[in-house]
Amino acid sequence: MIKDLPENIVKDIAVAVALEGETVESKTWYVYIINLKNQPIENVLITSKGYGEKDGEQVKTSVLRHSIPLIEANAFKLIEPIDEQTFGLANEYWVSYYIGREIFDKKFIFMPESIVDANFIKLPLVNKPGVMIL
């Protein structure tokens, strides 16, 4: 039964939106997964999608799927570029991974308008400004 399944709690894994570069015309943004653990994670599967309301209408982006075979301890990997126009939507990243034979999963959601300068930190390991969810 479900009550018999172990409660594998995700710790020390983050998803971050980082400002990569800036010109007069535009900004370049990337989404990263950051492994803050002292051990690697394997078979990382990530789905991403955006949803919400824009100009009074419901909007959904395509669901994208990403696979990363291994993320070393205290390392990060690029998930995808992200368009600034989606910052007004909820941007969801569902992350699943293995440590040994145990599976872990967690949903990370950047709420609408949460990717703003006021929420910027210096992202650990990535060393760029951005917004991170642990």
Side-chain angles (χ1 to χ4, degrees):
M1 297 300 226
I2 291 178
K3 64 179 174 57
D4 297 325
L5 293 174
E7 198 174 322
N8 294 340
I9 298 172
V10 173
K11 292 182 184 173
D12 300 325
I13 299 294
V15 174
V17 176
L19 177 59
E20 290 291 316
E22 196 170 357
T23 65
V24 175
E25 300 89 34
S26 67
K27 295 179 179 178
T28 304
W29 302 87
Y30 288 131
V31 182
Y32 292 97
I33 182 167
I34 304 171
N35 180 8
L36 298 166
K37 294 179 172 298
N38 291 324
Q39 63 191 81
I41 60 175
E42 299 177 303
N43 298 320
V44 182
L45 300 173
I46 304 162
T47 61
S48 64
K49 65 180 178 180
Y51 52 87
E53 193 174 301
K54 191 167 186 168
D55 300 327
E57 293 189 28
Q58 289 298 313
V59 177
K60 290 182 181 179
T61 67
S62 299
V63 175
L64 301 176
R65 292 170 180 82
H66 309 275
S67 175
I68 303 170
L70 176 73
I71 302 175
E72 294 293 341
N74 295 302
F76 63 93
K77 294 285 185 176
L78 174 68
I79 297 174
E80 64 186 11
I82 187 169
D83 191 323
E84 202 168 7
Q85 293 180 14
T86 65
F87 291 176
L89 303 174
N91 288 284
E92 177 183 297
Y93 295 86
W94 193 313
V95 177
S96 298
Y97 61 90
Y98 283 86
I99 296 177
R101 297 185 66 163
E102 292 188 55
I103 189 168
F104 297 80
D105 73 321
K106 182 176 179 178
K107 195 182 298 185
F108 298 84
I109 302 174
F110 293 91
M111 297 308 292
E113 308 302 336
S114 64
I115 305 169
V116 294
D117 292 351
N119 294 334
F120 277 17
I121 61 169
K122 183 177 180 185
L123 299 172
L125 304 175
V126 180
N127 292 322
K128 294 183 180 175
V131 177
M132 180 173 80
I133 299 175
L134 255 170

